[in-house]
């Protein structure tokens, strides 16, 4: 239910990204509100990135994007756990509140620096 197709084919070149797929499958299962299929057409659709828009539409855009990223079929294109955490994930969904506050403060400070530079240049 949760294994990436490459792992089932015994291709372990991107094993950690297989874990990302598995976690994404678990998140998708929660979005669906039911158990994922163990085989069949829907099983193949999930691994080909054909997800239920109806199920995902009930959740925030960052969560939808996170699930889609984690279920990317090609493991080379699928983000690593490290990349997801370092970026904060779509919309910063993986950031703690203090990390999100720090990002906002840095953005505000950068805007202040740009405005100050514009004022100095014009006056």
């Amino acid at each position: 239910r949760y294994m990436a197709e490459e792992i089932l084919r015994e291709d372990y070149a991107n094993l950690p990204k297989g874990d990302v797929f598995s976690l994404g499958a678990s998140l998708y299962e929660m979005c669906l509100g039911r158990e994922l299929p163990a085989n069949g057409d829907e099983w193949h659709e999930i691994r080909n990135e054909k997800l239920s828009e109806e199920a995902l539409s009930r959740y925030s855009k960052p969560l939808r994007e996170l699930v889609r990223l984690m279920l990317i079929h090609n493991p080379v294109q699928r983000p690593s756990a490290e990349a997801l955490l370092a970026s904060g994930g779509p919309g910063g969904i993986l950031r703690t509140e203090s990390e999100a506050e720090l990002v906002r403060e840095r953005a505000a400070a950068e805007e202040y620096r740009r405005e100050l530079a514009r004022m100095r240049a014009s006056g």
Side-chain angles (χ1 to χ4, degrees):
R1 293 176 206 266
Y2 309 98
M3 291 180 75
E5 193 171 358
E6 70 270 10
I7 303 303
L8 293 172
R9 289 192 319 264
E10 298 183 9
D11 175 358
Y12 304 118
N14 292 289
L15 187 59
K17 290 185 176 186
D19 293 337
V20 169
F21 183 94
S22 296
L23 181 56
S26 296
L27 285 172
Y28 184 57
E29 181 177 69
M30 288 189 290
C31 292
L32 285 173
R34 62 177 169 77
E35 210 170 61
L36 291 179
N39 53 39
D41 291 341
E42 186 183 10
W43 184 92
H44 287 285
E45 287 174 0
I46 292 167
R47 279 148 188 83
N48 287 311
E49 303 176 40
K50 294 177 185 162
L51 307 177
S52 168
E53 293 304 318
E54 180 184 342
L56 291 173
S57 69
R58 295 182 289 229
Y59 298 93
S60 69
K61 183 178 179 182
L63 181 62
R64 292 191 309 262
E65 290 176 8
L66 179 63
V67 170
R68 286 188 186 105
L69 281 171
M70 295 174 86
L71 294 178
I72 289 176
H73 177 75
N74 184 338
V76 173
Q77 295 174 341
R78 190 181 311 135
S80 67
E82 293 85 0
L84 285 171
L85 290 173
S87 71
I93 194 170
L94 300 175
R95 288 192 180 110
T96 65
E97 185 54 40
S98 59
E99 289 171 325
E101 180 64 24
L102 181 59
V103 168
R104 288 190 293 272
E105 288 177 8
R106 284 180 178 162
E110 183 57 34
E111 180 59 32
Y112 175 76
R113 280 192 283 279
R114 282 195 297 269
E115 183 60 29
L116 187 58
R118 279 193 288 269
M119 290 172 65
R120 286 181 178 158
S122 67

